[in-house]
């Protein structure tokens, strides 16, 4: 008897330790037609609204109820799930209704069946066993079964409730038809055996990153973006052929996760990605080598480590919708950035863009630094975004299954603060859509959500992508800020309905996202790239690159290099830099992978030459002598086709001269109509200065390439108003 009792106790312990994962109410693995109920109060509180963490709307005309709610006129209530196969049930998690009112179930019975006709209720030998449930509407409450029950159907039979009878729930169970279900599945889907599919606390995460760094010391490097409110480092991992510095011509890419600490999948995906790239690089996987050597990849798995710890402690099943979502100080980092959209849009409406207000690198308002409603984490992220020439970025979130691209914000019509009918679109809308599709379509399940999204308010079609402003507009988002203040195009990837799925899902999540992440990283090589240099070959930092037809410029990095992500096509690309003549080129982006080289060698602008001369003369006004090329330029037009005295013009030079004069006349007209202030005011010359001819002659008179000299038009040139005597 003792032996038998020991055996029984051991078995019971094993069963209790063997925690079955959720069957998938929250993740939607359980489909809507597996759910039924005794009744519903209205259609918007139908049984499919009973999924754990379902987000609802209290608006009367919305179909998105925040729970399943029973018809109060009935006397018997039950909620039923058909697992569709024999299942070992081990527990139930319940939650109240997502609403402003307090509706939740406080106790229930559980019944099981193999055919949905004969039901066995769990009892203690004397009476049915009453499970105590919720005491508020949001916190999930778990009840484990003392002894697991094998059955196909489960019923939750509410016995008491507060407010209306409404509930959301999840069921824990192991399907029996696949023996030792999830260890088996892990092996099946895992092509590599060196990856560990488990969640990491903050300290485990840092230790793992260090171990990857030890494993691959010459392609990885770890650094910190700054501190969280509680003093934890925001740790980043760089992977690159030369990880510690920017290499000229190499684009920088960032993948971040954990802005919301309870959205745990993205963090683990990035930890897996760094292990994968390290190992595959060492094993000479050519794709991994191309990525690591061709891109500087920054991975930040946890931008909100304080929230991460909070959610991690509560665990994957009970962390609810918001535990650890916010920072320690209560901020949602993703929407805590300066709002630059409205600055740009206001200027656009007044017709000031891009002549008076730039269409890129919109300045942060001055009061930003003193604004106390900005999280320390946000500040750290902003200075990080500014300190690297990032080209492309993605932040991983959760609670939906889609890719959202900017704008994230909606313009409000004054004075009623009504949103505009149609959201404004970015100048790079088509490329953003391309990026979004490249992720969603290579993800294994993201385009399968045509049966409805996680919460029933998303219209992604079958593409799995959406413009955030059309979906859930927010102000001050990281993506909008990145687009308007830096060169980096940033999107959000929402990895699934369940923000914090059971650990046994991680292997499958990795399979779903691995190819999508690799494909996304490869998109950084689309479009054009190049280096902007002066005639001596020195890089020009902060030069502006404009693409005709796309009202959003980008700038060169301190090392003079730039990347402009573009879809295939032919583009007129103009480089501009202070002190240089602007320069335009045709650059063609093809369908083959790899960015098109499109570099510029800029010549000093004529005005810059004049300034040099003036500087040489103590910035005193100069009397420009007639016989001198500089003097000649600023004179009234001479008879056509006659060069400066002493020059004989070739046909090409004559053509240039005509072009040049035409431009001068146009500039003059423009000057008359724009309000741009002249950069110099000319006082009548008092002294006659002679000019030594130490400097290069005006390039117009040289047989140089047509990109030199002032043949191209440039708004910068319009600044240089110049009058001669
Ligand atoms: C369902 O059938 C299995 C055997 O196939 C049995 O072990 C189990 O007890 C049954 N469950 C119920 C609730 O009748
Ligand atoms: C129960 O519901 C009532 C309203 O029906 C509400 O006033 C009360 O606060 C709720 N109780 C709790 C514990 O939330
Ligand atoms: C990494 O370091 C090892 C040993 O120092 C060296 O053999 C290898 O070539 C290095 N790889 C790279 C990419 O620098
Ligand atoms: C501080 O920033 C927040 C969020 O960007 C903004 O709503 C608020 O108006 C700002 N406050 C001040 C005083 O600038
Ligand atoms: C870059 O150029 C813009 C004007 O084109 C200027 O406002 C800005 O201060 C410059 N930034 C740096 C870092 O030089």
């Amino acid at each position: 008897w003792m032996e038998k009792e020991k055996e029984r106790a051991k078995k019971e312990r094993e069963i209790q330790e063997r925690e079955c994962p959720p069957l998938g109410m929250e993740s939607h693995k359980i489909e809507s037609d597996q759910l039924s109920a005794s009744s519903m109060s209205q259609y918007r509180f139908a049984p499919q609204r009973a999924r754990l963490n379902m987000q609802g709307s209290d608006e009367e005309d919305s179909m998105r109820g925040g729970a399943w709610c029973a018809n109060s006129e009935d006397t018997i209530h039950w909620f039923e799930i058909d697992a569709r196969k024999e299942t070992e049930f081990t527990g139930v998690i319940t939650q109240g209704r997502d609403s402003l009112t307090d509706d939740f179930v406080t106790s229930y019975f559980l019944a099981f069946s193999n055919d949905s006709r004969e039901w066995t209720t769990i009892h203690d030998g004397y009476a049915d066993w009453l499970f105590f449930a919720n005491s508020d509407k949001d916190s999930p409450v778990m009840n484990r079964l003392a002894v697991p029950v094998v059955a196909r159907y489960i019923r939750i039979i509410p016995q008491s409730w507060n407010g209306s009878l409404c509930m959301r729930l999840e069921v824990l169970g192991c399907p029996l038809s696949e023996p030792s279900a999830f260890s088996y599945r892990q092996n099946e889907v895992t092509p590599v055996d060196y990856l560990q599919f488990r969640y990491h606390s903050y300290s485990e995460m840092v230790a793992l990153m260090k171990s990857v760094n030890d494993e691959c010391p010459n392609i990885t490097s770890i650094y910190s973006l700054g501190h969280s409110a509680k003093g934890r480092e925001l740790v980043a991992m760089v992977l690159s052929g030369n990880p510690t510095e920017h290499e000229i011509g190499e684009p920088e890419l960032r993948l971040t996760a954990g802005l919301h600490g309870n959205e745990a999948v993205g963090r683990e995906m990035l930890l897996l990605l760094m292990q994968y790239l390290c190992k595959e690089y060492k094993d000479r996987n050519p794709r991994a080598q191309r990525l690591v050597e061709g891109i500087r990849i920054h991975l930040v798995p946890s931008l909100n480590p304080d929230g991460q710890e909070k959610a991690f402690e509560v665990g994957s099943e009970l962390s609810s919708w918001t535990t650890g979502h916010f920072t320690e100080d209560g901020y949602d980092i993703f929407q805590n950035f300066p709002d630059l959209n409205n600055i740009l849009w206001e200027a656009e409406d007044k017709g000031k863009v891009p002549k008076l207000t730039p269409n890129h690198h919109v300045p942060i308002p001055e009061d930003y630094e003193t604004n106390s409603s900005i999280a320390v984490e946000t500040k750290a992220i902003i200075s990080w975004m500014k300190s690297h020439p990032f080209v492309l970025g993605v932040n991983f979130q959760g609670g939906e299954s889609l890719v959202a691209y900017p704008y994230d914000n909606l313009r409000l019509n004054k004075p009623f603060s009504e949103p505009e009918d149609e959201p404004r679109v970015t100048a790079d809308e088509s490329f953003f859509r391309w990026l979004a599709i490249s992720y969603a379509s290579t993800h294994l399940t993201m385009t399968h959500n045509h049966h409805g999204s996680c919460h029933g308010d998303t219209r992604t079609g079958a593409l799995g992508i959406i413009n955030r402003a059309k979906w859930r507009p927010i102000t001050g988002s990281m993506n909008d800020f990145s687009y308007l203040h830096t060169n980096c195009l940033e999107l959000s990837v929402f990895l699934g309905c369940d923000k914090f799925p059971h650990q046994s899902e991680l292997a499958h999540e990795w399979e779903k996202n691995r190819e999508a992440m690799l494909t996304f990283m490869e998109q950084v090589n689309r479009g054009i790239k190049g280096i902007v240099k002066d005639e001596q070959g020195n890089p020009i930092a902060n030069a502006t690159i404009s693409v005709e037809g796309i009202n959003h410029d980008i700038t060169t990095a301190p090392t003079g290099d730039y990347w402009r992500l573009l879809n295939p096509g032919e583009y007129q690309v103009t480089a501009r830099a202070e002190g240089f003549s602007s320069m335009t080129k045709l650059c063609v982006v093809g369908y083959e992978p790899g960015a098109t080289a499109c570099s510029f060698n800029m010549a000093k602008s004529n005005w810059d030459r004049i300034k040099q001369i003036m500087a040489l003369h103590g910035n005193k006004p100069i009397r420009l002598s007639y016989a001198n090329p500089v003097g000649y330029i600023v004179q009234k037009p001479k008879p056509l086709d006659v060069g400066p005295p002493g020059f004989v013009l070739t046909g090409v030079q004559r053509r240039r001269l005509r072009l040049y004069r035409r431009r001068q006349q146009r500039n003059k007209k423009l000057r008359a109509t724009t309000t741009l202030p002249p950069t110099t005011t000319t006082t009548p010359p008092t002294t006659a200065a002679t000019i030594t001819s130490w400097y290069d002659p005006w390039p117009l008179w040289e047989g140089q390439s047509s990109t030199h000299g002032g043949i191209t038009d440039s708004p910068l040139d319009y600044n240089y108003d110049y009058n001669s005597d």
Side-chain angles (χ1 to χ4, degrees), residues 40 79 111 244 248 257 295 299 309 338 340 350 394 434 559 666:
M40 57 179 143
F79 187 89
T244 51
I248 293 176
I295 311 174
L299 306 178
E309 280 303 84
L340 305 180
K350 290 180 180 153
V394 62
W434 166 262
T559 37
R666 203 171 70 220

Side-chain angles (χ1 to χ4, degrees), residues 470-485:
K470 282 190 182 151
W471 171 43
R472 287 183 208 157
I474 52 167
T475 300
S477 87
M478 180 173 169
N479 298 353
D480 284 358
F481 176 80
S482 177
Y483 185 63
L484 294 179
H485 192 70

Side-chain angles (χ1 to χ4, degrees), residues 365-384:
E366 305 222 326
D367 58 10
Y368 169 76
E369 273 304 320
T370 54
N371 191 332
S372 58
S373 62
I374 306 287
V376 288
E377 291 88 352
T378 312
K379 287 185 178 166
I381 296 167
I382 289 176
S383 68
W384 176 59

Side-chain angles (χ1 to χ4, degrees), residues 624-643:
L624 300 161
S625 82
Y626 195 86
N628 172 291
V630 172
Y632 179 76
I633 307 165
V634 294
Q635 288 292 326
K636 297 264 182 281
K638 299 254 87 181
L640 269 182
D641 295 351
V642 179

Side-chain angles (χ1 to χ4, degrees), residues 102 104 135 162-163:
D102 285 297
F104 50 87
S135 51
N162 194 42

